[in-house]
Amino acid sequence: MKKQFLVIGLGRFGTSVAHTLSEEGHSVVGIDTSEDRIQRVSEEITDVIKCDATDADILDTMGVSDYEAIIVCIGEKYIQNSILVTLILKEKGAKKIIAKASTKTQGRVLSKVGADTIVYPEKDMGEKVARSLISSNILDFLEVSPDISIIEIPAPDFLVGKNLIELNLRHKYGVTIISIKNGKNEIIAPPDVSYRFAKDDILILIGKNKQLKKLRFTEE
């Protein structure tokens, strides 16, 4: 399902988040005060706007409550702007605010003014945040390489009551189950091929990103 996101601040982290969301087919609006940054990302994401996000009237016109999430990626030199923007977004009814911080102190302040999630990113963190936004059923995500990831997800409905022999996941989807955490918080690693999946199982899988995505959204 296509979702809408707003990315405020198009530095390295903001651009990384915006680019990943766009690659996955989602609608992304990016805003920044720098004309150079706007030009650099204009062909990569859905829409870019040159404006000052600390202007409450501008944010009012953008319908901030319509976005699935808003990611505040303003540079660390302008933490006061990040705090102000977060406060305005909260007042305007943003559903979910993710704010970038450089220190724990900054993070605590941003949380107090309304940020739901605080990240302390390097550039590669952008993709992790983006992928966690795209799919609410991903509990954890680890990029092994640009094409291969390890994810932790609840057992999809079509697995429940079946075993690995019947499902043949490796052949159908090209993914491997590393371990299973059952409802008793017991870790089964590696799982026996005769193990039958239960509704409250948590799976840790490794595979190519396209195959993992196919498995997560299948409705067999």
Side-chain angles (χ1 to χ4, degrees):
M1 183 182 295
K2 188 174 183 178
K3 300 177 182 180
Q4 290 185 304
F5 299 96
L6 175 63
V7 178
I8 300 176
L10 297 172
R12 288 190 305 169
F13 176 67
T15 299
S16 178
V17 173
H19 179 70
T20 303
L21 290 168
S22 294
E23 277 195 329
E24 291 288 341
H26 298 280
S27 176
V28 180
V29 176
I31 64 178
D32 200 289
T33 57
S34 167
E35 184 65 37
D36 288 342
R37 288 178 176 175
I38 292 293
Q39 291 297 323
R40 189 172 66 242
V41 301
S42 60
E43 295 182 1
E44 298 182 20
I45 63 177
T46 311
D47 194 15
V48 287
I49 302 169
K50 184 178 182 290
C51 66
D52 183 357
T54 62
D55 188 328
D57 292 334
I58 290 176
L59 291 181
D60 240 346
T61 66
M62 300 187 71
V64 297
S65 61
D66 295 333
Y67 294 96
E68 185 75 17
I70 300 175
I71 307 94
V72 181
C73 310
I74 298 171
E76 61 184 270
K77 292 182 180 179
Y78 305 98
I79 184 60
Q80 68 275 14
N81 289 350
S82 188
I83 293 167
L84 178 57
V85 169
T86 300
L87 180 61
I88 294 171
L89 291 172
K90 192 68 175 180
E91 291 176 344
K92 301 296 181 186
K95 292 178 186 175
K96 184 174 185 179
I97 303 169
I98 296 174
K100 168 189 168 185
S102 299
T103 68
K104 295 292 184 181
T105 300
Q106 290 178 3
R108 285 196 295 271
V109 174
L110 288 164
S111 293
K112 286 185 179 296
V113 297
D116 299 290
T117 303
I118 305 298
V119 291
Y120 304 89
E122 302 261 341
K123 182 180 179 181
D124 61 348
M125 190 67 178
E127 184 168 355
K128 180 174 182 179
V129 172
R131 296 200 185 281
S132 69
L133 290 169
I134 292 165
S135 180
S136 58
N137 67 345
I138 291 184
L139 304 177
D140 201 4
F141 168 88
L142 176 64
E143 184 181 46
V144 177
S145 74
D147 299 321
I148 298 173
S149 301
I150 295 172
I151 63 170
E152 181 180 2
I153 61 170
D157 289 342
F158 79 90
L159 269 65
V160 176
K162 299 178 182 178
N163 63 34
L164 287 170
I165 296 174
E166 294 167 333
L167 291 164
N168 201 9
L169 295 179
R170 190 174 296 178
H171 176 73
K172 283 186 177 181
Y173 300 99
V175 302
T176 299
I177 297 180
I178 298 172
S179 67
I180 300 169
K181 181 167 70 174
N182 62 24
K184 299 177 182 179
N185 283 326
E186 298 170 333
I187 304 296
I188 304 166
D192 188 271
V193 292
S194 63
Y195 178 85
R196 291 195 178 275
F197 293 94
K199 188 174 183 179
D200 53 0
D201 283 347
I202 301 295
L203 314 180
I204 296 180
L205 306 153
I206 185 169
K208 291 186 176 181
N209 295 331
K210 288 183 179 179
Q211 298 303 103
L212 289 169
K213 184 177 180 181
K214 181 180 176 183
L215 173 67
R216 294 199 327 263
F217 294 109
T218 191
E219 296 181 357
E220 289 183 8

